Structure formats: C-alpha cells, structure tokens
Amino acid sequence: NAGVTQTPKFRILKIGQSMTLQCTQDMNHNYMYWYRQDPGMGLKLIYYSVGAGITDKGEVPNGYNVSRSTTEDFPLRLELAAPSQTSVYFCASSYADTEAFFGQGTRLTVV
Amino acid sequence: KNQVEQSPQSLIILEGKNCTLQCNYTVSPFSNLRWYKQDTGRGPVSLTIMTFSENTKSNGRYTATLDADTKQSSLHITASQLSDSASYICVVVSPTGANNLFFGTGTRLTVIP
C-alpha cells in the first residue's frame, strides 16, 4: 500500500496561473479531504468528498475546485492563483469516521 | 463554537526527560479524540484514537488521557528521544458527517541532546 500520494511536493506559481494538485489513495477509502496548513495555524478543510461523484465545501473553499470521478483520486484545482493561497496542502482519506491518513503535503508558493 | 486549544505552543526538553502536552476542546457532540504527530515537512501520522469511554491509551512511550467530562486530553511522552521532535496535533471528531474533524494548532516539541 502506498497510502495517500500527493504530487507535486513543491510548486511555485505566478499570480493568476492555474494548477492542479493531485491526490490518489489505494486503500479504497470512501472519504477524502483537502486541507491547507498555514504557519502556526491548524489544518483548515477546503473540500471533502464522501464518495465518487460527491463533493462538498469545507471551511475555506473560495478559490478552489475539486472533482471525485473515482474512489482513488481527488484532485484540487486552483484556477487563478493568489498570494493568499501560499500554503502547505494536505490530502487525506479515511473509511467513514475512522482514522484519517494524510499525504506528504504540497508546498505551494504564489508570487 | 467548536474549538480545540493546545498548550503549550512550543516546548524544548532534554533528551531522556518526560513531558506532557495538553488539549482542551469545546467540540460537541463528541465522537473521538486523536493525537497526531507531524514531522517537519511531512503529513500528520496518527498516534492514538480515544473514544468517549476510554480514559487512558498507550502507544509505546506515548500515553494519552481523556476526561470527557471536563473536555480535556493530554499526551504524555516518556523518556523522550531526539526523534520525538515534531508537532503534536490534537484532533477532535464530531459524529456529524465528513466535515467533522476539528484541529488544534499543535504543540511544537523540540528534544535536544
């Protein structure tokens, strides 16, 4: 089991550019999440999904979009990057309310 | 408002010493409480999960306690090692759907030789 895999690990974007953060899990988990972690702050939920074809907004969804076409994949899309989106992004998955497994994170800088 | 507060924000201890990290929460309803360890540049990794009926749970040198009445939890680390240097995050889970994990800001522990 690879667990939760995120790509890329690091990325620098210019203001206004777009990108997709990839997340895939091989544990057949139905729940998947995207969080961002700003320095000195707790993780904040951006979007989550309780199964393929179902997504919902978390606490801080503005500026992001997601899709869940398969159980394994949950990509996060940034359409018009802004400096406020500079952060570390974590994807996680779980089987319902059980333990969540996190990816290694993507460090994004918007300049 | 559902909140999770951790103390101290940061802690420096000598290798071999013990330490205790605190977590207070106001999350309701309550399903379980989790302690995660996050190494620098890595994702959080689960240490323990405690349900309402559990008062103490150990995982090697880590021992978590939970007082559901006072809504407090602690994580005690015994005989610290350099590899314990990390952030420790308290997460309280509410049984109200997938948008139900409430994260503390973490305690940054540094173990020095």
Side-chain angles (χ1 to χ4, degrees), chain B residues 1-80:
Chain B
K1 185 177 178 181
N2 291 315
Q3 288 186 316
V4 179
E5 295 185 352
Q6 293 186 242
S7 61
Q9 279 191 328
S10 61
L11 183 62
I12 301 174
I13 62 173
L14 291 173
E15 185 178 12
K17 297 296 186 183
N18 304 335
C19 67
T20 300
L21 315 179
Q22 299 290 343
C23 174
N24 296 336
Y25 62 94
T26 60
V27 177
S28 183
F30 173 89
S31 176
N32 60 76
L33 184 146
R34 309 171 184 182
W35 282 95
Y36 282 86
K37 178 185 179 187
Q38 185 177 20
D39 292 314
T40 300
R42 309 293 291 269
V45 175
S46 179
L47 292 174
T48 67
I49 299 176
M50 301 188 73
T51 59
F52 186 87
S53 59
E54 294 176 305
N55 298 119
T56 304
K57 183 174 273 190
S58 292
N59 177 5
R61 295 180 296 102
Y62 301 102
T63 299
T65 66
L66 173 64
D67 186 334
D69 291 331
T70 62
K71 297 187 176 181
Q72 295 180 324
S73 176
S74 67
L75 181 69
H76 185 74
I77 304 174
T78 305
S80 61

Side-chain angles (χ1 to χ4, degrees), chain A residues 3-49:
Chain A
V4 179
T5 303
Q6 291 182 237
T7 56
K9 287 187 171 58
F10 303 94
R11 184 71 185 269
I12 298 175
L13 278 183
K14 292 184 178 179
I15 294 172
Q17 284 186 321
S18 301
M19 78 163 295
T20 299
L21 282 67
Q22 301 291 346
C23 175
T24 187
Q25 53 94 6
D26 61 359
M27 296 172 281
N28 202 31
H29 286 163
N30 53 343
Y31 286 14
M32 294 189 75
Y33 315 81
W34 273 106
Y35 293 91
R36 60 178 286 172
Q37 186 177 37
D38 298 324
M41 305 291 287
L43 276 75
K44 294 187 177 180
L45 184 64
I46 304 171
Y47 270 95
Y48 65 97
S49 168

Side-chain angles (χ1 to χ4, degrees), chain A residues 42-100:
Chain A
L43 276 75
K44 294 187 177 180
L45 184 64
I46 304 171
Y47 270 95
Y48 65 97
S49 168
V50 298
I54 305 169
T55 62
D56 211 339
K57 296 178 180 179
E59 183 183 358
V60 289
N62 291 343
Y64 307 94
N65 274 301
V66 294
S67 60
R68 184 95 182 269
S69 57
T70 66
T71 299
E72 294 79 17
D73 300 308
F74 192 41
L76 178 71
R77 178 82 178 160
L78 283 72
E79 289 295 348
L80 292 171
S84 61
Q85 294 177 305
T86 294
S87 189
V88 182
Y89 291 83
F90 289 100
C91 178
S93 73
S94 67
Y95 182 71
D97 284 350
T98 60
E99 176 186 353

